[in-house]
């Protein structure tokens, strides 16, 4: 499940330091009182120089006020800061919600002495409540003062909701003879789903890159990472992935078609996939990660639909929680998915051990080997539809009683 | 949630006796050893005279051997018996599965001295295992001997899997001056979903009706009942709804276009809706039934998609398990459903109490009234999209830790 180490000849070096591993990036996080207790609930990421920026947002037709404001701001393509809060998503809050989101950017901009238009905003948490602006107004100036080149961890904590730990990663890659750094913080857990769902990922890099090329690279990375994971099949109203490229690597700026983009894409893919798998592993109540691979599909779309069908099946996910290699539920989920399927061509493996052949139980299955696979924290399920050559995969997690407890508020 | 009492002037009389309330219908159920313990695992329904018959089956692309056999048999349109088993679904069992399903009908036919082609077969339970035919061969002759005009309850028990109680219903209606009876047994619980999923419903009536008219009536009834319920969004490989009309009421046979069909449809709708709600109420781990109503949609399709989106959202269903009126999760589910939605037009009610207006919290909500609604065993959630006049609804249940325990085998 570890992201592919190095494709081709590109060498990646994993770094400590998260998003602040990137030159010119400062971050901070603190508690202002949105969440009960003392948990951090505000986060700030700041680039000392204006950065080329682009973002990808939720596909939910209801989106939060912060998503509306950030989308608008990104049209100009230059960003210098992202202010984020957790505990209240500022969704389904009408005009008041828009005013609150804008005020957050305004306060931060004033303190940072940059134009308000260069500040993005993101909020996560319960839907349908107004932000406690008194607390936020008091907290934001402190948040700006707390900015630090070692602030990544605090910022990662400031965006956590039901996450059990902060998520950050950084990577260095050589590009045209120069070292370039990419760093990120993320949050995930409940409602994580294909097509973006209550998850944030803020990425920064010191690469100099044109906006079109940056946008294409981000879309491609998201398609292979955050859109390839699923926790409960729900989709949030607030998902936000943003990348800031501040150019401090002083490379000759990359434009579309530049061959060096392949190296950058490789690094960005590795970074986002690592964070995506972290999100699944920390899915609400999850005890294991399952890489659901479908191959032999008639079309790529069929492969995706079948993989999502399995990854979102409550019956498959509860079987996994019980470490029960119930391949019948896999067959059923595939059949219900809508993908082209011929029962007598289906083959299924847990890890390397084949359990189903020609749509029925394979003779001589080693249930010991299957059990050993299911004892791993990261399980691979492979389904071959036997109808073509297309393939796809989805990372998912099991469905446990803890998921239900977390979401009924009884945990 | 009680099915609509009487539309127009049709008077319905609910009867005891389930499927054997119908003249000429016998039934039986017993334990042969497919299930552990002593629970009944075989069921038989028999019509003393050949009956006009039709059926509706799962939309899953992988279907069990019994579904294949029964579909084939129904082409002739004359049926006299349904033999069913529980504990093993005989799905994903290849040629052997087909032989086993046919052998079940062959044994029953021989004992009943009727042609094998007049016997349907249905099996429910775990997927991917072969039927224990030794036990079944020994059990079937006893099952035929046990046939009784009071056998409905035993047959209803014989098809149970994780159901906590048997499900049966019967109804009498006057049609053209004659009393006509409809009776049924059903099983439901896990994997119950829109578009048919691990559920059986065997209906019988003494009405004389032509096959085309019977088929149209059954399809309509299923659309308004079993296809309007959802437990976990999974779809099974074995769903079967079959109706037998044996003509013993000796009415002038109904054909398509006959005005008396309206009365029959009304009775069949009421019967199937009652059984469908019983299935939801007995959903795995369920503690309450929720009638999710969507109105004000642009199209009927949008209304259905939005209602299913809510009814299948794990976050909404876990909120209901905690009796948490988290309308934000409703807004989010509607937004993610794919239906046309404008956030600022959404309105939401729990029972009669409106909680959301113009996409945000309504001022002055009585949370006491909301709490009272959520304390009922049957809750109504109404969402008005404010975009048109189309409406639809889905019955669903909450998602509890017991659902997970049942399906991980840890309960």
């Amino acid at each position: 499940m570890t992201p592919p180490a190095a494709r081709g000849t590109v060498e990646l070096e994993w770094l400590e330091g998260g998003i602040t591993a990137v030159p010119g990036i400062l971050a901070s996080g603190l508690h202002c009182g949105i969440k009960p207790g003392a948990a951090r609930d505000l986060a700030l990421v700041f680039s000392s120089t204006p950065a080329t920026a682009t973002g990808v947002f939720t596909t939910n037709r209801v989106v939060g006020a912060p998503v509306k404001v950030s989308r608008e701001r990104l049209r100009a393509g230059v960003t210098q800061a992202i202010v984020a809060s957790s505990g209240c998503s500022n969704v389904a809050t009408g005009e008041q919600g828009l005013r609150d989101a804008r005020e957050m950017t305004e306060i931060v901009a004033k303190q940072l002495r940059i134009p308000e238009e260069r500040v993005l905003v993101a909020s996560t948490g319960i839907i349908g409540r107004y932000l406690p602006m008194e607390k936020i107004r008091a907290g934001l100036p402190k948040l700006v003062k707390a900015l630090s080149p070692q602030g990544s961890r605090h910022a990662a904590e400031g965006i956590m909701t039901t996450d059990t730990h902060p998520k950050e990663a950084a990577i260095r890659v050589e590009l045209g003879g120069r070292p370039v750094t990419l760093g990120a913080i993320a949050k995930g857990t409940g409602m994580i789903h294909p097509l973006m769902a209550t998850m944030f990922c803020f990425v920064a890099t010191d690469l100099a890159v044109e906006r079109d090329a940056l946008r294409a690279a981000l879309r491609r990375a998201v398609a292979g990472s955050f859109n390839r994971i699923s926790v409960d099949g729900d989709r949030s109203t607030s998902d936000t992935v943003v990348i800031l490229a501040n150019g401090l690597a002083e490379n000759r700026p990359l434009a579309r078609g530049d061959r060096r983009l392949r190296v950058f894409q490789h690094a960005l893919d590795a970074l986002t996939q690592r964070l995506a798998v972290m999100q699944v592993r920390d899915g609400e109540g999850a005890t294991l990660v399952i890489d659901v691979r479908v191959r032999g599909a008639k079309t790529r779309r069929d492969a995706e639909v079948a993989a999502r069908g399995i990854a979102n099946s409550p019956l498959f996910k509860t079987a996994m929680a019980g470490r029960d290699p119930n391949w019948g539920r896999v067959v059923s989920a595939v059949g219900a998915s809508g993908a082209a399927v011929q029962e007598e061509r289906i083959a299924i493996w847990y890890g390397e051990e084949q359990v189903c052949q020609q749509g029925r139980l394979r003779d001589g299955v080693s249930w010991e080997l299957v059990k050993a696979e299911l004892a791993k924290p990261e399980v691979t399920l492979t389904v071959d539809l036997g109808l073509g050559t297309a393939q796809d995969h989805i990372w998912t997690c099991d469905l446990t009683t803890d998921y239900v407890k977390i979401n009924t508020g009884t945990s």
Side-chain angles (χ1 to χ4, degrees), chain A residues 79 85 106 124 127 133 167 178 184 188 191 212 221 233 258 273 320 323 325 330 336:
Chain A
T79 295
S85 68
E106 192 189 316
T124 176
I127 298 174
M133 286 306 292
K167 295 168 185 70
R178 275 168 202 274
M191 283 175 83
D212 279 0
D258 192 312
Q273 285 173 26
M320 286 296 96
R323 303 296 187 271
V330 175

Side-chain angles (χ1 to χ4, degrees), chain A residues 7 218-229 269 272-273 276 300 392-393 395:
Chain A
R7 296 174 209 154
L218 183 65
R219 289 189 178 275
R220 207 162 149 179
V222 167
S225 59
F226 304 116
N227 281 351
R228 284 287 166 284
I229 61 177
D269 287 350
T272 52
Q273 285 173 26
R300 169 75 191 253
D392 203 349
H393 82 116
W395 285 294

Side-chain angles (χ1 to χ4, degrees), chain A residues 56-61 71 191-199 222-231 233-241 301 304 308 312 392 394:
Chain A
V56 177
F57 298 91
T58 180
T59 59
N60 195 304
R61 295 201 187 188
R71 265 187 189 151
M191 283 175 83
I192 284 180
H193 186 53
L195 319 177
M196 309 287 297
T198 304
M199 53 77 48
V222 167
S225 59
F226 304 116
N227 281 351
R228 284 287 166 284
I229 61 177
S230 170
V231 168
D234 261 317
R235 295 179 213 178
S236 133
T237 48
S238 307
D239 308 323
T240 301
V241 179
R301 175 78 194 144
E304 179 181 341
R308 289 194 194 282
N312 290 332
D392 203 349
I394 296 287

Side-chain angles (χ1 to χ4, degrees), chain A residues 77-371:
Chain A
V78 178
T79 295
Q80 224 172 328
I82 309 164
V83 58
S85 68
S86 57
C88 170
S89 67
N90 192 8
V91 174
T93 47
E95 283 299 321
Q96 183 62 47
L98 284 169
R99 277 193 296 272
D100 292 346
R102 287 199 190 99
E103 191 184 344
M104 284 175 67
T105 68
E106 192 189 316
I107 297 171
V108 166
K110 193 175 277 178
Q111 299 281 328
L112 289 168
R113 295 166 204 268
I114 59 174
E116 189 184 330
E117 291 67 33
R118 288 199 193 151
V119 184
L120 307 181
V121 57
S123 294
T124 176
I126 193 162
I127 298 174
R129 298 222 185 120
Y130 297 107
L131 287 171
M133 286 306 292
E134 284 302 313
K135 292 170 180 171
I136 292 173
R137 279 183 205 113
L140 289 178
K142 294 177 201 159
L143 188 68
V144 172
K145 283 202 189 92
L147 278 172
S148 141
Q150 281 86 41
S152 178
R153 173 63 56 109
H154 284 183
E157 288 172 3
I159 56 175
M160 285 166 61
T161 52
T162 50
D163 304 65
T164 63
H165 57 81
K167 295 168 185 70
E168 43 178 6
I171 210 169
R172 186 178 293 139
V173 66
E174 198 149 305
L175 190 144
R178 275 168 202 274
V180 168
T181 307
L182 294 85
I185 58 171
K187 64 98 41 196
T189 77
M191 283 175 83
I192 284 180
H193 186 53
L195 319 177
M196 309 287 297
T198 304
M199 53 77 48
F200 289 164
C201 181
F202 307 145
V203 189
T205 176
D206 55 352
L207 186 74
V209 53
E210 287 183 11
R211 193 151 164 260
D212 279 0
L214 188 64
R215 186 193 287 135
L218 183 65
R219 289 189 178 275
R220 207 162 149 179
V222 167
S225 59
F226 304 116
N227 281 351
R228 284 287 166 284
I229 61 177
S230 170
V231 168
D232 60 14
D234 261 317
R235 295 179 213 178
S236 133
T237 48
S238 307
D239 308 323
T240 301
V241 179
V242 171
I243 185 165
L244 273 56
N246 67 16
L248 291 182
E250 299 190 327
N251 58 296
R252 185 168 39 85
L254 276 66
R256 288 196 89 151
D258 192 312
R259 290 186 55 210
R260 292 171 299 168
L261 274 173
R262 193 183 65 83
V263 178
F264 175 62
Q265 185 75 57
H266 178 62
L268 187 59
D269 287 350
L271 185 76
T272 52
Q273 285 173 26
R274 173 166 284 199
L275 287 162
V277 172
M278 277 186 206
Q279 289 176 341
V280 175
R281 187 172 294 132
D282 199 19
E284 286 172 348
T287 65
L288 86 170
V289 174
I290 309 140
D291 189 7
V292 177
R293 299 177 185 178
V294 172
R295 67 189 194 202
K298 222 164 161 180
T299 64
R300 169 75 191 253
R301 175 78 194 144
D302 271 356
E304 179 181 341
V305 159
R308 289 194 194 282
I310 300 164
N312 290 332
S313 160
L315 285 172
F316 169 69
K317 291 160 78 82
T318 49
M320 286 296 96
R323 303 296 187 271
D324 171 10
N326 192 326
W327 60 273
R329 293 184 181 176
V330 175
V331 169
S332 182
V334 165
S337 69
V341 166
Q342 280 180 38
E343 184 184 340
E344 66 281 6
R345 296 195 174 215
I346 298 173
I348 300 172
W349 290 256
Y350 282 101
E352 304 290 315
E353 185 62 7
Q354 186 172 3
V355 293
C356 170
Q357 190 174 33
Q358 298 179 315
R360 53 200 159 76
L361 184 65
R362 185 176 74 84
D363 291 335
V365 173
S366 163
W367 295 108
E368 281 309 307
L369 285 178
V370 171
K371 210 176 144 186

